[in-house]
C-alpha cells in the first residue's frame, strides 16, 4: 500500500501535462511531516494523492485545476527589530514612566475642572491643510485610503478639537473646559526632545473671550511643573500677542492674507540666520524699511518699551497688561516674561501666545499655545472664542533627566502565589482568584519552580507577601503566608485570607 501510494504521488509531481501548477521548484512543494510509523506515512501520501486526483464516485471535484496550497516551510527574511525611525517602544520600565507622566497630566486637569476627551488618530488631511497653512503639509504622514479619501495621522490635537466643537454645535452650553492626551505624528528633522511621534497633553477653553482663560491655562502648566519639582528658576514662559505683529504690518499696509506667512517666518528667528529671515520676509512682499521696524519690535522684551513704540491705544498692550496683572494674582508672576518675538508657528493663532522654555536654553520649547478665536470659521462653522496649549511628553522627560527628577518606579504586586507541588496548581489558582476578587494584585507562579527562583521573582516584582500552597496545609484548609518585608510567616484559613 505504501509503495503504491508513493509511486502515485511521485508520478503526479513529475507530470506537467496532468497538472502544470505542480511543475514547481522543490523548495516550493508542500512539505509533509515524515512519521516513523509506516501506516501514518502512507496515510499522508495517500491524502496528497487524493488532493490531486479527481474521484469518479463524487469525491473532490476540480482537484486537478485547483492551485497548490501555500508552502508551509517558507524561508523568512530577518526583519529590523527596531521601531521605525523617530518612534519608540515602551517596555515595562518606560511604560511606568509614561503612565506616571500621564497621571500627572490628568490630575492637574482634574484640579482645574477639565473633562477628558479623545479623537481618532486618523483624520481627514484637509483638517490640517486648511487650518495650519501649507507648511504642515510637508510634515504630514498622509496617504489616500482604499476609498480614495485623503487622510493623515494627526500632527496635533487642536483641529480634531475644533471638529468636535462644531459637531456638538449648540447642543451643549459653553464654556467647554476639555483636555486630551493623544499620540501625534510629524515627519520632521529629529533633534533632542523632537521625534516623529510623540504624546501631547492639550488643555483648551472654548467660549471664554477674556484673557482670564489664558491666565488659567498658564496657571495649570505652572501647577504641573511644581508637582514634578521644577521651579521658576528652571522654567519660564515667554508671552506675547499676535496683535503686536498685526499692528506693525498694518502700519506698512501689509495685506491680511500674508499675516500667516509672516508668522511662520518669524517663528524661525532662533532657528535660522537673520539674513535668511530677512530674505523670506522680502519674498512675502515686505519692504526693507518694514522688515527693519518689525525686527526692532520683535527684539523688545518689556511692555513699557513696546508701549513707547506702538502706543497704548491698541488691544495688544491692554490684553498683555491684564495677563501680567492676573499672573500676579495667580501667584506665578516670576514664571512669565514678555518677549515680542514669540508668535508660534501655526497660522490660526489670533491673540496672546506663550511658550514654556528651560532657562538654561539647552532644549527646544517645552510647551506652547495661545488664543485662536477664528479657527472654527476655517472649517465652515461660526467662530467661537477659544484658547489652549499643547504640552509634549518628549521635552519634559529630557528636562526631568537633566534635573535628576525622573522618579525610580518599580513594579509593585501585593501577592505572589506559588504551589509547592504541581498537583496543587489548581489550588493556587483558586487562591489567586479569591484575592483578585477582593481587589488585590496577584502574580501567580504558573510553573513548577524551585523556591530560590520564587524568591527572586518576588524581589523583582516587589511583592508584599508570598503565599505558599503546600500539601499538608491545603488538606487542613490552610495556606502559608510570608510577609516579605518582615519575613514573618503564619498559616491562615483560606476563608479568612484577606
Amino acid at each position: 500500500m505504501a509503495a503504491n501510494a508513493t509511486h502515485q504521488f511521485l508520478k503526479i509531481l513529475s507530470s506537467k501535462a496532468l497538472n502544470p501548477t505542480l511543475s514547481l521548484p522543490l523548495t516550493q512543494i508542500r512539505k509533509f511531516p515524515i512519521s516513523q510509523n509506516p501506516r501514518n506515512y502512507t496515510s499522508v501520501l495517500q491524502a496528497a494523492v487524493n488532493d490531486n486526483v479527481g474521484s469518479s464516485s463524487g469525491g473532490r471535484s476540480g482537484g486537478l485545476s485547483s492551485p497548490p496550497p501555500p508552502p508551509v516551510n517558507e524561508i523568512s527574511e530577518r526583519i529590523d527589530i527596531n521601531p521605525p525611525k523617530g518612534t519608540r517602544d515602551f517596555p515595562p520600565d518606560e511604560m511606568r514612566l509614561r503612565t506616571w507622566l500621564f497621571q500627572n497630566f490628568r490630575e492637574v486637569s482634574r484640579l482645574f475642572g477639565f473633562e477628558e476627551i479623545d479623537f481618532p488618530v486618523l483624520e481627514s488631511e484637509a483638517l490640517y491643510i486648511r487650518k495650519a497653512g501649507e507648511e504642515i503639509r510637508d510634515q504630514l504622514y498622509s496617504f489616500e485610503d482604499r476609498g480614495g479619501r485623503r487622510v493623515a495621522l494627526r500632527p496635533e490635537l487642536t483641529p480634531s478639537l475644533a471638529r468636535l466643537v462644531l459637531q456638538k454645535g449648540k447642543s451643549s452650553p459653553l464654556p467647554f473646559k476639555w483636555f486630551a492626551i493623544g499620540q501625534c505624528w510629524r515627519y520632521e528633522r529629529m533633534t533632542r526632545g523632537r521625534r516623529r511621534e510623540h504624546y501631547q497633553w492639550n488643555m483648551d477653553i472654548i467660549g471664554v473671550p477674556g484673557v482670564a482663560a489664558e491666565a488659567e491655562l498658564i496657571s495649570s502648566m505652572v501647577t504641573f511643573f511644581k508637582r514634578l519639582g521644577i521651579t521658576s528658576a528652571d522654567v519660564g514662559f515667554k508671552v506675547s500677542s499676535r496683535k503686536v505683529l498685526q499692528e506693525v504690518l498694518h502700519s506698512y499696509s501689509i495685506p491680511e492674507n500674508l499675516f500667516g506667512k509672516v508668522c511662520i517666518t518669524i517663528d524661525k528667528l532662533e532657528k535660522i540666520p537673520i539674513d535668511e529671515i530677512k530674505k523670506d520676509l522680502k519674498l512675502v512682499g515686505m519692504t526693507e524699511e518694514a522688515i527693519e521696524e518689525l525686527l526692532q519690535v520683535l527684539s523688545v522684551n518689556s511692555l513699557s518699551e513696546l508701549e513707547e513704540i506702538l502706543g497704548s491705544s491698541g488691544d495688544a498692550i491692554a490684553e498683555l497688561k491684564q495677563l501680567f496683572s492676573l499672573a500676579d494674582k495667580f501667584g506665578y508672576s516670576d514664571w512669565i516674561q514678555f518677549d515680542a518675538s514669540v508668535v508660534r508657528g501655526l497660522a490660526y493663532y489670533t491673540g496672546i501666545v506663550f511658550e514654556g522654555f528651560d532657562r538654561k536654553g539647552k532644549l527646544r520649547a517645552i510647551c506652547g499655545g495661545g488664543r485662536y478665536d477664528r479657527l472654527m470659521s476655517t472649517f465652515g462653522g461660526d467662530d467661537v472664542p477659544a484658547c489652549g496649549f499643547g504640552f509634549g511628553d518628549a521635552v519634559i522627560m529630557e528636562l526631568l533627566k537633566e534635573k535628576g527628577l525622573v522618579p525610580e518606579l518599580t513594579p509593585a504586586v501585593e501577592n505572589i502565589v506559588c504551589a509547592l507541588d504541581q498537583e496543587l496548581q489548581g489550588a493556587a489558582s483558586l487562591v489567586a482568584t479569591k484575592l483578585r476578587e477582593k481587589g488585590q494584585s496577584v502574580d501567580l507562579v504558573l510553573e513548577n519552580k524551585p523556591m530560590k527562583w520564587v524568591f527572586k521573582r518576588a524581589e523583582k516584582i516587589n511583592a508584599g507577601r508570598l503565599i505558599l500552597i503546600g500539601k499538608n496545609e491545603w488538606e487542613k484548609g490552610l495556606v502559608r503566608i510570608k510577609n516579605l518585608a518582615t519575613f514573618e510567616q503564619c498559616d491562615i484559613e483560606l476563608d479568612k485570607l484577606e
Side-chain angles (χ1 to χ4, degrees):
M1 176 66 180
N4 290 337
T6 304
H7 176 72
Q8 285 180 316
F9 183 55
L10 295 176
K11 184 177 180 181
I12 289 168
L13 292 179
S14 63
S15 175
K16 294 182 182 180
L18 183 60
N19 192 346
T21 61
L22 290 173
S23 57
L24 301 169
L26 286 178
T27 55
Q28 288 184 262
I29 294 173
R30 183 178 177 185
K31 298 182 181 180
F32 296 94
I34 297 179
S35 170
Q36 300 301 319
N37 186 335
R39 195 176 289 270
N40 290 342
Y41 183 46
T42 300
S43 64
V44 170
L45 290 174
Q46 189 64 54
V49 172
N50 291 340
D51 281 348
N52 289 277
V53 179
S55 171
S56 60
S57 60
R60 290 191 188 183
S61 62
L64 296 178
S65 61
S66 61
V72 176
N73 293 345
E74 294 180 349
I75 299 174
S76 57
E77 298 179 6
R78 289 183 72 89
I79 64 168
D80 186 353
I81 60 174
N82 295 308
K85 189 174 182 180
T87 67
R88 299 164 288 174
D89 291 319
F90 288 91
D93 55 337
E94 294 292 332
M95 194 65 193
R96 284 193 292 272
L97 276 175
R98 194 182 96 180
T99 300
W100 167 81
L101 183 67
F102 288 11
Q103 284 173 343
N104 278 284
F105 287 159
R106 287 190 168 94
E107 179 59 17
V108 169
S109 301
R110 185 194 67 81
L111 290 174
F112 281 73
F114 282 62
E115 294 184 284
E116 186 166 9
I117 55 173
D118 199 6
F119 330 95
V121 71
L122 188 69
E123 290 273 19
S124 166
E125 183 186 53
L127 196 63
Y128 307 107
I129 302 300
R130 292 175 63 184
K131 166 246 151 204
E134 295 300 315
E135 186 199 37
I136 206 168
R137 185 190 293 271
D138 296 332
Q139 299 176 348
L140 284 179
Y141 280 88
S142 58
F143 56 94
E144 187 175 289
D145 70 9
R146 294 187 180 183
R149 294 170 290 263
R150 292 295 304 176
V151 293
L153 296 177
R154 62 188 180 201
E156 58 161 328
L157 302 179
T158 308
S160 297
L161 168 73
R163 180 180 56 72
L164 184 58
V165 170
L166 291 175
Q167 182 192 116
K168 285 287 183 183
K170 298 179 180 179
S171 61
S172 300
L174 297 174
F176 297 148
K177 296 176 74 175
W178 288 347
F179 81 96
I181 302 169
Q183 192 178 35
C184 300
W185 297 80
R186 291 189 188 188
Y187 193 90
E188 55 185 346
R189 186 175 63 87
M190 292 182 296
T191 58
R192 185 184 179 191
R194 184 196 296 267
R195 298 183 175 89
R196 289 175 178 166
E197 63 79 22
H198 70 281
Y199 284 87
Q200 187 165 298
W201 170 41
N202 275 31
M203 288 179 70
D204 294 86
I205 300 175
I206 312 296
V208 177
V211 178
E214 287 94 327
E216 173 90 335
L217 290 172
I218 296 174
S219 179
S220 69
M221 290 183 283
V222 169
T223 300
F224 172 81
F225 284 127
K226 288 180 177 180
R227 284 176 65 90
L228 272 55
I230 295 170
T231 70
S232 59
D234 304 316
V235 167
F237 288 90
K238 297 177 182 178
V239 179
S240 187
S241 173
R242 280 283 182 95
K243 293 178 181 179
V244 171
L245 197 58
Q246 282 177 321
E247 290 185 22
V248 174
L249 297 181
H250 180 72
S251 66
Y252 283 91
S253 303
I254 304 298
E256 182 73 21
N257 64 320
L258 297 179
F259 180 68
K261 291 181 179 180
V262 172
C263 288
I264 290 170
T265 301
I266 296 303
D267 190 53
K268 300 174 183 176
L269 266 176
E270 296 181 358
K271 303 167 189 174
I272 62 174
I274 192 66
D275 288 341
E276 289 293 317
I277 296 290
K278 291 180 178 180
K279 180 181 176 182
D280 288 349
L281 291 174
K282 278 185 180 180
L283 291 174
V284 169
M286 293 185 67
T287 64
E288 288 190 12
E289 183 185 359
I291 291 171
E292 290 303 323
E293 180 171 341
L294 176 62
L295 293 177
Q296 180 189 353
V297 170
L298 294 177
S299 66
V300 171
N301 54 20
S302 76
L303 274 178
S304 57
E305 188 178 350
L306 180 68
E307 192 170 3
E308 289 177 8
I309 297 173
L310 298 181
S312 57
S313 59
D315 291 339
I317 299 293
E319 290 174 355
L320 286 166
K321 282 184 174 180
Q322 185 183 358
L323 177 63
F324 277 82
S325 175
L326 286 169
D328 187 53
K329 302 295 190 298
F330 272 105
Y332 61 79
S333 57
D334 55 329
W335 288 76
I336 68 171
Q337 64 190 61
F338 175 73
D339 186 332
S341 67
V342 175
V343 295
R344 303 294 292 162
L346 296 171
Y348 57 82
Y349 288 116
T350 58
I352 286 177
V353 287
F354 46 83
E355 281 185 358
F357 68 100
D358 79 295
R359 294 197 184 274
K360 288 187 177 180
K362 294 183 178 180
L363 301 169
R364 61 189 294 264
I366 304 168
C367 51
R371 179 160 291 276
Y372 51 94
D373 286 349
R374 294 196 292 271
L375 177 57
M376 306 303 167
S377 61
T378 64
F379 301 137
D382 295 330
D383 280 327
V384 179
C387 60
F389 69 77
F391 196 125
D393 69 323
V395 181
I396 184 61
M397 289 309 301
E398 292 292 331
L399 180 63
L400 291 172
K401 291 173 185 175
E402 186 84 24
K403 302 295 179 184
L405 294 173
V406 178
E408 292 186 14
L409 302 173
T410 56
V413 178
E414 292 168 288
N415 306 280
I416 181 168
V417 175
C418 176
L420 296 178
D421 190 303
Q422 190 64 35
E423 295 178 357
L424 293 171
Q425 190 63 45
S429 301
L430 174 63
V431 172
T433 298
K434 284 185 173 292
L435 287 170
R436 288 165 180 161
E437 287 174 349
K438 294 178 180 179
Q440 294 198 32
S441 56
V442 178
D443 182 24
L444 176 62
V445 179
L446 300 172
E447 301 174 276
N448 191 19
K449 293 288 188 180
M451 287 306 299
K452 183 178 180 181
W453 183 95
V454 174
F455 276 106
K456 283 186 176 180
R457 173 70 180 173
E459 183 179 7
K460 180 181 178 181
I461 64 174
N462 199 26
R465 40 179 206 178
L466 169 61
I467 300 176
L468 297 171
I469 317 299
K471 185 176 180 181
N472 292 337
E473 290 82 7
W474 188 252
E475 288 176 350
K476 299 175 185 176
L478 303 173
V479 294
R480 177 155 297 177
I481 298 178
K482 289 182 179 287
N483 185 311
L484 295 175
T486 64
F487 290 100
E488 296 175 346
Q489 67 178 39
C490 64
D491 294 342
I492 189 170
E493 293 178 20
L494 180 60
D495 292 340
K496 295 181 180 179
L497 185 61
E498 296 291 341

